[in-house]
Amino acid sequence: MTPHPPRVLVAGATGYLGGFVTRELKSRGHFVRALGRSPEKSSHLQDQVDEVVVGQVTTPTSLANVCQGIDVVFSSIGITRQKDGLTFKDVDYQGNLNLLEEAQRAGVKKFVYVSVLGGLHLRHLDIVAAHEDFVDELVASGVNYAAIRPTGYFSDMTEFFGMARRGRVWLVGPGQNRVNPIHGADLAVVCADAVTGEDREIDVGGPDVFTYRQIAELAFQSLDRPVKIVSIPARLARFFVAVTRVFNRHRGELLAFMVTAATSDIVAPSYGTHTLQAYFRECAQPGAAATGRF
Ligand SMILES: NC(=O)c1ccc[n+]([C@@H]2O[C@H](COP(=O)([O-])OP(=O)(O)OC[C@H]3O[C@@H](n4cnc5c(N)ncnc54)[C@H](OP(=O)(O)O)[C@@H]3O)[C@@H](O)[C@H]2O)c1
């Protein structure tokens, strides 16, 4: 008799990656419980998973029993575009740590966590430090784990598409740094494999490597529009980041991460079949979701 696939709690199921992971796990026959932070934000998951539970990762007492009967916790919880007045440390680090402690109390066997590619070398940035400080806690916890470090998601490449639609793409520097972005559906396969697999440290990117300039050109091509690219000198962008940091630390740190990513090579072992060309073509369809985060 084959043992049943592990029962998984997905934290972050309301987000871009977590949504794909939820669907991938269900398609493999896992029991899936989704953790949402409020009934309103998670009600749409009712039809997609076996159970929905509500708990706020930044309030440990609200997490009581959310991991009961669960074998593996998957978490893609982290601040991306949320504007809740919380810091990366509050959510990406402390929120995930609260969840890990609850998982330990419930006897969960494994914790799969999504960090950021290059995390080990970019810890001077608040967002990366929060992710990697949590990975340190995970490693020290003694719970079996997998730390997945992806490149940029296609959902983030939508920023280039949005600028192209508005007529002009702004790049930091000449845009010659390289990245192999990954679609959420492809990354979800890697995440679901990590639920049952042995690998603990997993760097992953998409199938094709582009320069940022090529991504901008691709966005214009998908819209059938002439290419218009403006380069902002990297030094000017860093000055702007420093000024923003003084007035709004969180916003400054987010910008610092974006400028660092735009001026670094973000290339990881390639995986998946979804192409950015096809994704941008989808974004260009009439009626495509306003944010393009699909
Ligand atoms: N986007 C990229 O290119 C990229 C690349 C590498 C790594 N990552 C990392 O991958 C992870 C997932 O990214 P994503 O694009 O899927 O992000 P996303 O769509 O914004 O999803 C983030 C999830 O975290 C939850 N969350 C955020 N703030 C919260 C809070 N204060 N309390 C409770 N839950 C909260 C969100 O819940 P709500 O829906 O309720 O807001 C959502 O479920 C993040 O940690 C991100 O840093 C992203």
Side-chain angles (χ1 to χ4, degrees):
M1 203 176 76
T2 48
H4 71 81
R7 293 162 62 97
V8 185
L9 176 81
V10 177
T14 52
Y16 172 74
L17 176 59
F20 283 105
V21 170
T22 299
R23 290 189 281 281
E24 180 64 29
L25 291 169
K26 277 310 299 168
S27 76
R28 295 183 184 201
H30 291 270
F31 170 95
V32 175
R33 182 183 293 162
L35 173 66
R37 57 167 140 170
S38 71
E40 304 75 52
K41 282 203 161 216
S42 40
S43 59
H44 69 282
L45 296 168
Q46 295 285 0
D47 302 337
Q48 299 168 30
V49 297
D50 298 284
E51 281 176 16
V52 177
V53 287
V54 173
Q56 175 51 276
V57 289
T58 48
T59 310
T61 49
S62 73
L63 296 176
N65 299 325
V66 299
C67 297
Q68 219 56 47
I70 288 295
D71 301 307
V72 179
V73 170
F74 166 84
S75 177
S76 56
I77 284 198
I79 298 179
T80 56
R81 292 164 176 77
Q82 292 80 3
K83 293 189 175 77
D84 304 311
L86 296 167
T87 63
F88 297 117
K89 192 167 183 190
D90 294 334
V91 177
D92 302 35
Y93 171 74
Q94 191 62 52
N96 280 299
L97 183 57
N98 294 337
L99 186 58
L100 172 62
E101 286 170 356
E102 187 56 35
Q104 285 180 288
R105 273 191 285 277
V108 163
K109 297 183 193 73
K110 187 169 186 180
F111 198 113
V112 177
Y113 176 66
V114 182
S115 182
V116 186
L117 187 78
L120 297 169
H121 310 290
L122 298 174
R123 287 180 97 137
H124 57 285
L125 300 167
D126 280 7
I127 183 169
V128 178
H131 276 97
E132 287 300 317
D133 287 354
F134 174 69
V135 174
D136 287 350
E137 299 279 3
L138 190 53
V139 173
S141 72
V143 173
N144 188 13
Y145 74 93
I148 300 172
R149 296 189 178 88
T151 59
Y153 303 165
F154 278 17
S155 56
D156 272 16
M157 301 302 128
T158 311
E159 299 295 335
F160 291 91
F161 181 83
M163 287 192 278
R165 180 138 61 189
R166 290 191 292 277
R168 186 165 300 163
V169 172
W170 298 81
L171 294 178
V172 180
Q176 293 306 335
N177 285 99
R178 297 170 311 128
V179 60
N180 59 331
I182 185 162
H183 193 288
D186 287 333
L187 183 53
V189 174
V190 175
C191 295
D193 286 350
V195 164
T196 48
E198 303 287 318
D199 293 343
R200 291 188 150 189
E201 310 279 335
I202 303 166
D203 288 358
V204 59
D208 303 311
V209 180
F210 301 94
T211 64
Y212 288 100
R213 184 166 284 269
Q214 286 170 332
I215 292 176
E217 289 165 358
L218 203 59
F220 282 111
Q221 278 160 23
S222 68
L223 288 159
D224 216 5
R225 290 203 185 158
V227 174
K228 262 193 200 167
I229 295 174
V230 183
S231 289
I232 309 166
R235 246 197 250 168
L236 183 64
R238 289 193 194 103
F239 173 73
F240 185 64
V241 166
V243 173
T244 309
R245 255 195 192 125
V246 172
F247 295 101
N248 185 330
R249 167 91 189 213
H250 182 78
R251 179 168 256 225
E253 281 297 323
L254 203 54
L255 280 175
F257 178 70
M258 287 158 69
V259 169
T260 303
T263 51
S264 315
D265 287 334
I266 315 270
V267 180
S270 59
Y271 183 82
T273 54
H274 288 74
T275 66
L276 195 58
Q277 285 94 327
Y279 179 76
F280 279 164
R281 274 201 302 272
E282 241 181 293
C283 293
Q285 291 304 310
T291 58
R293 285 165 70 78
F294 47 81

